[in-house]
Structures are given as structure tokens and as C-alpha cells.
Amino acid sequence: MLRSLEIGKRALLLSQRGLDVTSNNIANVNTPGYARQMLMTRPGEAIPVGGDRLGMGVLSAGIRHFRDQLLDRDLRAYTSRLSYYQQDDALLQRIEAALGEPGEITIQTALQNFFDAASTLATNPASMSNRQLFVARAADLASTFNRTGSALEQLRTSSFERLTSNVSRVNQLLSALAETNQRIAGTLNTSGTPDSSLVDRQSQLLDELSRYVDITVRREPTGTATVISKGAMLVSENTALTLAVTRSLDSTSGETTIGLTLQKNDGTSVGSFSPASGELASLVHHYNVTLNPLTTSNEFSIARELDKLASTFAEHVNTIAATGFGLNDTGSSPPGRAIFASTSSGPIRATTLSVLPALVADPALVPTSSQAGTPGNNDIIRAIADVASDGAFLDSLTPEGYYASITTRLAELGARTTDKVTTTKTVLEQVTNEREAFGGVNLDEEATNLITYQRAFEAAARVISVTSDMLATLVNLGR
Amino acid sequence: MRITLQSYTGKLRTTLTDLTARQAQQQARIATGERLLRLSDAPTDIPNIVSYRSNIAKLERYSSTLDSALAENATVESALVTIGQTMTDTHTLGIDVLQIANHDKWAVIAQQVLTKIRTLIEAANTSHGDVFVLSGTKNTAASLTPSPPEQMSVPFELVATTPSPSNPSGLEVRFKGNIEPRYVQTGDGNTEQVATTADAVFGTGGTEVFDTLITLYNTLAFHPDGTPRSEGQLPTAEQLDAVAALVKRIADASGRIQSTTSALGIRTERMAAQREQIDQDLTRQREFLSRLADTDVAAATMQLQRDQIAYEYSLRIGARIMNLSLFDFLR
């Protein structure tokens, strides 16, 4: 009789634990990184009774944690890639905005306005209003280059700032992972199984870390996670390395580049670190290549291309202008006056392009004629206007053609990146769904479990009640 | 496959976000009229769009240059008509003075010739805007500095110099401009001369015609000894021969002016035809550009409606699926 009571008690306790697990699942239905749990049961070991073996009810076989390491690995790999492409996409969008493309106020329209003004001036080079218009258009063109160049510089600066802030977050995550490792190892030592909430927390941290860098996770027998990226052990047991951003200046070329280094806790450097994907990789790449005007990389650099266009354009126009005479120039040899200059002592770049201040002050100085004292002569200004159709201007293209080649490359890059974002997003969604299907909480399922455990609990209680009644009957037999 | 609450909500969230983004894109396309909101929307179209825009700007530039050149040519044509008419009138006067009945009126006719010279100078100094049209590349008042006895900053000026046996009146027409032709760009690698030059109208150095007319005036107004002729005084036989030769030169000059006017007319016509061609090209290029860069409003509106319907149904279905769970039936 007492055996039945024991069996009932075991069933009661197990149903109660089942309800606890179900409640915990329901409570964490929206918790990111949470993997559902399930109470596993096994029949109690049978004991010999008479000539038979009698079962001893139900016992817990532990709580199963629905986490699949392969799915986790895939999810993190795609998260890294998606973050890389999304960062690329966002930056390319901002570059398009800096160029004003597609729109009305762009370098192309400024170039067209400049050539329009040159052409108008060629119809009447003696006209002061035409000269003023030409100087104003040249200044507009210079300011459009300046504005675009500065916007790209600003974008480069904000890439650096974003990288610094991301590195700081990565360091927090690495440190939190080391701490979680330590706690997991502690619970394992105490209870023999790792704390599932800590494992969930660890998984959450790893998921977030994969947004910044591509990582590989190795599960140790102690329950801890060793985080590896590009061969470097970022986290091992309770030790984490820290990332640092380094900026270096090439004194010969003046080029500034950035890189990442790994350091130990005592500040000693472990070596350089170049992630292949994740936000950090994208930001470093754009700082060092896409937005770097002095890069020697074969890859596309919008800043370098823009500088090339600005300097070649100024050079072409200035070379022609140097052979011309202004409205009031006299003498047989031209004064060698330029149209464009640099606002700094260095070479002409997109950010430094400007109109010769003397021309702004006195548009009569604009060289338009190939002969002094002939204000109607338009040979020079016509040659300047002709630069618009110069098919050998740069890389066998006209100025507008070269600008078109820049925007086309940018468009192709943007489209390719958008495609990559879409594709990777789809794959990531699929992997997320698979992980969710395996480890996510289904409320209907949990409601069913709720009923199951409730009914089991009621039945077990009934067993105890009946056994109790039977015991009472036995006790009262002697009265 | 197990479907969890996160599977539902995650998918719904993504769908709603995508649909909202698509609606916003279509709205922007309709509102701005621009098909491309980003360069990457159609990377293969970008080179063509840039190229069409560039061509349009270039054609507009040539069109504007041609307009300006045509306007100046019209001014020149009008001046040449006056010059041609004046030369014809002068030629008629020359023929008149050779008539025996007019031999006693040379002094009077001489004054008429002088008036014609002044008319010609006035026409030769015709300006378009602030430039003199028959002054070559030295065509502004500022570049035409007078040196005594010149007094005015104009290309052609009648000045009085010291009389001499060969020029008893001392009158002389000075040309301060040059005979450099002016060109404008009217197409890729195409230039056209605008207006015309003084030598094409007035002969060598831009003053040949004036020299002839002043010689005629001197012959009519003075005796061979250089004394002024009075009304009623008759010319000598040599003077009659000289005037006949001058009339022939005037006729030749009139012919040259006519052919210069015709040449200008042909150029003007060519430029007008070019202008018309550019207009047609512009229409074509704008149409090509519009096909690539402008929103197809009907298509965008339909797409927007489709996205709105999809959005509405996504909301409805999402709300309905998540509304029911087993918990609703547990008591």
C-alpha cells in the first residue's frame, strides 16, 4: 500500500516539475536567444514483489535543452555576412546621397552648367555679364566638388567613429562571454549540469558578437565556449582578449589607414586582426579603400576617383587658359593665367578645388582670346568649352563620361550589395526559422503540456487519495 | 515543421516591414516622378541616363549658341541690306553724273555721295548687343581706341585729314577693327562663322569701298587743281573717264556685297536647319531619358495598390492567426 503512495507522490512531484518547465517556456516565449526546455521522464526501477517485478512509478530523466550547435553555427555565419553587407549597403546609400545622386544638384549638372557658361561666353567673350556668369559657374562647380569631397571625408570620419564604438561593444561582449564561461563552469562543478539560463545568455552574446565579427565557437567539455576568429582565440575559458583600433599615417604619401589589433588584458599586443565579415570588416574596408582618396588598392574608391576627376579637369582647363589673354591684357605673350586653383598648398583635390580669386574679383581677367587686344576672339574659351566633348579627357572618356563611369560603378556596387543583402537575409530567415522550429516555444504545444501535466497531477492525487482511503479501511478493520 | 510564436511574429514583422518599404518607394516614385530612387535601382540604366542627360545639355548648349549666332546674323543681314541699298543708290548717282544733262550738277551730287558715305559708315558700325558686327575680333568700344584725328570708339570713322592733291577734301574713312573671322561651336567638331568680316563687305582692308566713294566725292566736288567745284561748273574729259572707272568699281563692290549677303544667308540657313535638327534630337533624347528615368505613373500606382492590398491582408491574417490559441479554449 505504501508503494502506491510513493508512486503517487513521484507522479505528483514530476507533474509539478513538468508544469514548472512549461511555465518557464511560456514565460520566455519572447526572450531572444531562449531555447525551449522539456522535462524528460523515465520509469522508476522495478522492484521484485512476490515472483514478479513491480514498476515504481515515474522519475525525472533531466530537462532537455533544445539547442542545435550546427544551426547556431550557421545562424552566426549568416548573421556576420548579413551585417557586413548591410553595413556596405548603408554606406553606399550615404555615398549616393553625398553625390546627390540620383538628383538635380550633382557634379554632372555643375559640369554642364560650367560648359554652358563657357559656351555662352564664347558667343560674346567681351560681355562682362557673360564673364561673370562663367566665373560664377566655375565657382559653383568648385563648390559642388568641395561639398561632395567634404561629405565623403565626413563619411570616412563617421566610419571611424562607428568602428570605435563597435569595437568597444565587441570588447564588452568578449568580456561578458568570459564571465559567462566562468559561471557556467561553476554551475557545472556544483550541480553536474550547466545552468541552461547561462547557456541561453551565452548564446545570446555569441549571436550579437557575430554581427560584428565572424566567429567560430567550440564547446568545451566544461560547458564553456571558446570563441575563435581568423585563427585568434578571442575568448577561452574565463579569459578574453580585447580589440583596439589603430590609425597609421604614411609620412610619404600622407595616407591614413586604420587596422584592428588584439591585446591581452595587460595591454600587450597579440597581433593584428582582420575579420572577414561582420560590421567591423566592412567599416575597416570602407575607411581604407572606398573612402580613402590616397589608396593604392585596385578596388573601387569613390574618394580617389572624385579627386582624379577634379584634378584632371582643373589641369585641362588651366592648361588651355594659360595660353589665353583676358579682356584687357596687352603684350604678345599670354599672362599664363589659370582658372582653377587649390585652396591648400597641396595638389588640387575635390575638397580644395577653387576658382582663382583674381578672376572672382575681376572677371575681365578670364582668358578667352588667343591674341591680346581682340576681345571678340573666342579661341581659348571655345577650347575650354570643347573640353566637354574631349573623348581623351580621362581614361578615353569625356569629363561627364568619366563621372558617368564613377556613378555606374557605384550603382553596380550598390545593386550587387543589395542583392547580397536580400539573398543573405532570405537564407538567414530560413536558418532562423529552422532554429526556431527546433528550439522555439510553441504556445499550443505548451498549452497541451499544461493540460497533460494538470491531468497527470489530478490522476496522481487521485491515486494518493484512493490509497489513503484503502489505508483507512485497513486501519479500521480491527475496530 | 514546428511553428512557434516567434516564427509567426518574425515572419509577419518582416512581411509588414518589406511591404511598408515597398509602399514608401512607390509613393516616392509617384510624388517625385523619378523612377530611380537609388543609383542601384537600375545600374545598367545609369550609363544611358547620364549619357542622355549629357547629350541633352550639350544639345541645349549648341541650340543656345545657334540662337545667339542667328540673332547676330539677322542684325548683320539687316546692316548688309542697308549697305547694299546704299551702294546701289550710289551706283545710280554715279551713272547719273555721267549724263550730259547732269554735268553741271556735280557739286550738288557730290554732297549726295557724301551723305551716302555717312549712311554706309553708320551701317558698317551696326552693333549687336555691345559688339560691332563688322569689326572682326576687335569688336568692342573699349578695344577701338581712337587716335587723332579719330574721335570715336567705333570701327569705321570718317575723319578729316590734311587736304592733298590726291585727296583735296582730306576726308578719309578709318577702320579700327580687324578682319579676323569669329567662329562659334555649333556641334561636336563643328564650327560656324558668325556675322562677316569687313573685307568681305568693303573690300581689301575693310576700306576699299570707302576709298572709292571718297575718290568719287573728291572728283565730283573738286576741280583737278584741287579747288572746290561750284554748281554749274562742268567736268573735264579726264574727270568723266575717272568717274566712269569709279562707277565700274562701285558696281563691282555692289556685286561683292551681294555675294557676301548671299554667303551669310546660306550660312544662316544652314545654322537654322542645324537648330531645327537639334530641336528634333532634343525631343528624341528627352524621350529616351524619360523612358529610363521617369516614373511610369500608371504602373507605379497599380503596384502601390497591390502593395496596399497585400499589406492590409497581411495585417488581417496576422491578427487572425495570433488571435487564437489553445489557451482561448482552456477553462
Side-chain angles (χ1 to χ4, degrees):
Chain A
M1 202 68 76
L2 289 173
R3 273 198 302 273
S4 294
L5 271 180
E6 179 58 23
I7 290 169
K9 186 191 83 180
R10 283 182 179 182
L12 263 183
L13 288 174
L14 202 81
S15 301
Q16 217 170 345
R17 194 178 293 183
L19 270 174
D20 290 344
V21 171
T22 304
S23 310
N24 189 41
N25 281 343
I26 294 170
N28 282 297
V29 66
N30 288 325
T31 308
Y34 178 78
R36 76 187 160 111
Q37 296 169 9
M38 185 190 266
L39 179 67
M40 307 305 288
T41 56
R42 64 177 172 85
E45 217 168 285
I47 55 165
V49 178
D52 295 324
R53 291 189 76 79
L54 186 66
M56 278 303 289
V58 65
L59 289 172
S60 165
I63 295 172
R64 187 177 166 196
H65 205 205
F66 281 79
R67 187 166 288 288
D68 184 325
Q69 283 188 38
L70 291 177
L71 285 174
D72 282 352
R73 189 195 60 192
D74 285 354
L75 186 122
R76 284 173 198 137
Y78 284 109
T79 303
S80 275
R81 278 183 223 171
L82 182 64
S83 299
Y84 182 90
Y85 298 140
Q86 278 179 329
Q87 183 58 48
D88 273 5
D89 196 41
L91 194 112
L92 290 169
Q93 275 196 49
R94 290 179 68 186
I95 291 175
E96 285 180 17
L99 287 175
E101 292 286 0
E104 300 294 320
I105 306 163
T106 63
I107 288 174
Q108 191 193 9
T109 47
L111 279 169
Q112 286 169 357
N113 289 340
F114 173 81
F115 290 126
D116 284 352
S119 184
T120 306
L121 182 55
T123 61
N124 183 2
S127 159
M128 278 311 285
S129 58
N130 283 355
R131 284 173 175 272
Q132 268 155 1
L133 177 74
F134 175 76
V135 172
R137 293 300 193 211
D140 280 351
L141 176 62
S143 105
T144 309
F145 267 112
N146 297 162
R147 207 174 41 242
T148 312
S150 301
L152 293 179
E153 266 183 7
Q154 179 57 43
L155 211 51
R156 196 171 184 225
T157 309
S158 53
S159 293
F160 177 75
E161 284 164 1
R162 194 178 170 87
L163 180 73
T164 313
S165 124
N166 282 356
V167 161
S168 156
R169 180 64 191 148
V170 167
N171 286 336
Q172 282 172 10
L173 291 170
L174 294 177
S175 160
L177 275 164
E179 192 196 321
T180 314
N181 272 351
Q182 192 176 12
R183 290 177 61 191
I184 287 174
T187 56
L188 193 74
N189 290 338
T190 318
S191 63
T193 52
D195 181 343
S196 65
S197 67
L198 287 173
V199 174
D200 285 345
R201 169 77 185 134
Q202 184 187 55
S203 172
Q204 211 178 345
L205 292 169
L206 289 168
D207 287 354
E208 192 184 343
L209 184 63
S210 66
R211 271 179 49 206
Y212 300 105
V213 284
D214 47 318
I215 52 168
T216 310
V217 180
R218 198 174 66 211
R219 292 273 169 202
E220 304 299 343
T222 51
T224 60
T226 302
V227 184
I228 303 160
S229 181
K230 293 293 263 181
M233 216 174 274
L234 302 181
V235 179
S236 172
E237 301 292 339
N238 60 351
T239 314
L241 296 177
T242 52
L243 272 180
V245 185
T246 52
R247 199 154 30 171
S248 50
L249 171 73
D250 184 325
S251 55
T252 319
S253 65
E255 181 189 4
T256 313
T257 49
I258 52 170
L260 295 170
T261 52
L262 284 169
Q263 293 175 345
K264 284 184 185 166
N265 280 340
D266 58 5
T268 53
S269 173
V270 176
S272 64
F273 176 62
S274 310
S277 60
E279 272 189 34
L280 298 194
S282 169
L283 289 165
V284 169
H285 173 76
H286 291 306
Y287 187 95
N288 288 342
V289 180
T290 317
L291 298 167
N292 181 0
L294 301 173
T295 181
T296 50
S297 162
N298 289 330
E299 288 180 74
F300 177 67
S301 163
I302 181 75
R304 181 184 56 196
E305 297 303 320
L306 206 64
D307 275 359
K308 204 164 144 188
L309 178 61
S311 63
T312 311
F313 182 78
E315 224 168 78
H316 261 66
V317 172
N318 285 349
T319 306
I320 299 167
T323 61
F325 294 86
L327 199 55
N328 304 317
D329 286 331
T330 51
S332 54
S333 48
R337 203 173 291 130
I339 304 263
F340 294 105
S342 172
T343 50
S344 71
S345 54
I348 292 179
R349 294 179 47 205
T351 46
T352 63
L353 184 71
S354 69
V355 176
L356 205 72
L359 300 190
V360 180
D362 181 9
L365 296 176
V366 173
T368 51
S369 163
S370 59
Q371 205 185 331
T374 55
N377 180 315
N378 62 6
D379 292 346
I380 299 302
I381 194 66
R382 207 146 43 83
I384 290 174
D386 242 8
V387 172
S389 315
D390 183 0
F393 170 75
L394 189 57
D395 292 352
S396 304
L397 293 164
T398 61
E400 283 185 67
Y402 192 76
Y403 179 74
S405 78
I406 297 176
T407 47
T408 305
R409 286 184 74 180
L410 194 61
E412 278 169 1
L413 210 58
R416 241 187 354 248
T417 309
T418 308
D419 286 349
K420 283 177 186 168
V421 168
T422 311
T423 316
T424 316
K425 224 177 187 174
T426 310
V427 179
L428 184 62
E429 242 173 60
Q430 182 59 35
V431 176
T432 309
N433 281 341
E434 279 179 38
R435 188 165 92 157
E436 195 54 37
F438 182 70
V441 176
N442 180 321
L443 285 177
D444 292 332
E445 211 172 76
E446 298 307 326
T448 316
N449 287 342
L450 214 57
I451 299 166
T452 310
Y453 291 125
Q454 189 190 5
R455 293 286 177 241
F457 187 87
E458 282 171 8
R462 186 74 187 138
V463 167
I464 289 170
S465 165
V466 168
T467 311
S468 170
D469 286 351
M470 284 167 73
L471 267 173
T473 307
L474 278 178
V475 169
N476 289 331
L477 269 179
R479 290 193 183 174
Chain B
M1 193 182 196
R2 287 178 73 248
I3 301 295
T4 66
L5 184 68
Q6 288 297 331
S7 314
Y8 275 142
T9 51
K11 184 73 192 160
L12 183 66
R13 197 165 37 234
T14 312
T15 309
L16 292 178
T17 309
D18 286 351
L19 285 169
T20 311
R22 268 160 56 183
Q23 285 178 77
Q25 269 187 348
Q26 296 304 336
Q27 271 178 339
R29 285 197 172 108
I30 294 165
T32 59
E34 300 280 346
R35 180 182 144 238
L36 304 185
L37 302 175
R38 278 191 65 185
L39 288 176
S40 52
D41 284 347
T44 49
D45 289 342
I46 298 297
N48 288 334
I49 289 174
V50 176
S51 160
Y52 289 140
R53 283 193 179 141
S54 172
N55 286 345
I56 289 168
K58 198 161 61 182
L59 289 171
E60 282 174 343
R61 202 146 55 226
Y62 293 145
S63 166
S64 156
T65 302
L66 281 167
D67 280 347
S68 152
L70 285 168
E72 187 169 343
N73 277 2
T75 308
V76 178
E77 267 174 3
S78 155
L80 287 180
V81 167
T82 309
I83 290 166
Q85 188 56 52
T86 310
M87 287 299 287
T88 308
D89 293 349
T90 314
H91 183 248
T92 310
L93 282 176
I95 291 168
D96 285 351
V97 293
L98 292 173
Q99 305 294 316
I100 295 172
N102 293 328
H103 284 184
D104 58 346
K105 298 187 186 86
W106 276 30
V108 177
I109 293 172
Q111 292 312 310
Q112 291 176 12
V113 169
L114 190 58
T115 308
K116 294 295 175 198
I117 292 171
R118 289 203 167 98
T119 309
L120 273 182
I121 289 172
E122 201 179 316
N125 284 336
T126 299
S127 63
H128 179 76
D130 50 4
V131 299
F132 295 105
V133 292
L134 296 177
S135 190
T137 56
K138 215 173 160 187
N139 56 1
T140 60
S143 63
L144 301 168
T145 320
S147 57
E150 298 158 9
Q151 291 177 340
M152 294 183 287
S153 296
V154 289
F156 295 90
E157 187 177 352
L158 183 65
V159 295
T161 59
T162 314
S164 64
S166 61
N167 184 3
S169 64
L171 291 176
E172 202 179 298
V173 171
R174 296 268 179 92
F175 176 53
K176 286 165 257 170
N178 63 26
I179 51 169
E180 297 288 329
R182 285 186 294 124
Y183 293 95
V184 288
Q185 189 90 27
T186 56
D188 288 348
N190 282 346
T191 51
E192 280 284 0
Q193 188 187 344
V194 67
T196 189
T197 52
D199 60 338
V201 182
F202 300 116
T204 313
T207 53
E208 194 186 333
V209 164
F210 295 107
D211 293 344
T212 305
L213 295 182
I214 285 170
T215 307
L216 177 64
Y217 167 75
N218 282 336
T219 311
L220 296 177
F222 294 92
H223 291 292
D225 62 0
T227 55
R229 191 190 306 276
S230 306
E231 201 176 345
Q233 290 181 329
L234 298 174
T236 62
E238 290 78 22
Q239 281 188 311
L240 280 169
D241 289 344
V243 168
L246 288 169
V247 168
K248 168 81 174 54
R249 279 166 67 185
I250 292 169
D252 290 345
S254 289
R256 186 180 49 240
I257 289 166
Q258 267 178 12
S259 82
T260 301
T261 310
S262 304
L264 180 70
I266 290 166
R267 250 187 293 133
T268 304
E269 233 170 69
R270 194 167 55 228
M271 285 157 86
Q274 222 172 327
R275 172 77 177 76
E276 211 167 291
Q277 178 67 44
I278 284 175
D279 271 349
Q280 287 173 9
D281 281 354
L282 267 173
T283 310
R284 253 198 311 275
Q285 297 279 336
R286 283 185 182 130
E287 198 185 317
F288 291 148
L289 176 64
S290 172
R291 277 186 213 162
L292 293 181
D294 292 348
T295 307
D296 179 344
V297 179
T301 310
M302 289 302 293
Q303 186 58 48
L304 180 62
Q305 271 182 356
R306 276 200 291 271
D307 290 341
Q308 278 174 334
I309 291 167
Y311 183 71
E312 192 185 322
Y313 278 87
S314 295
L315 282 175
R316 276 191 194 181
I317 291 165
R320 208 156 140 188
I321 286 176
M322 285 193 294
N323 197 27
L324 286 178
S325 93
L326 190 54
F327 287 100
D328 294 302
F329 302 97
L330 291 181
R331 286 165 196 273

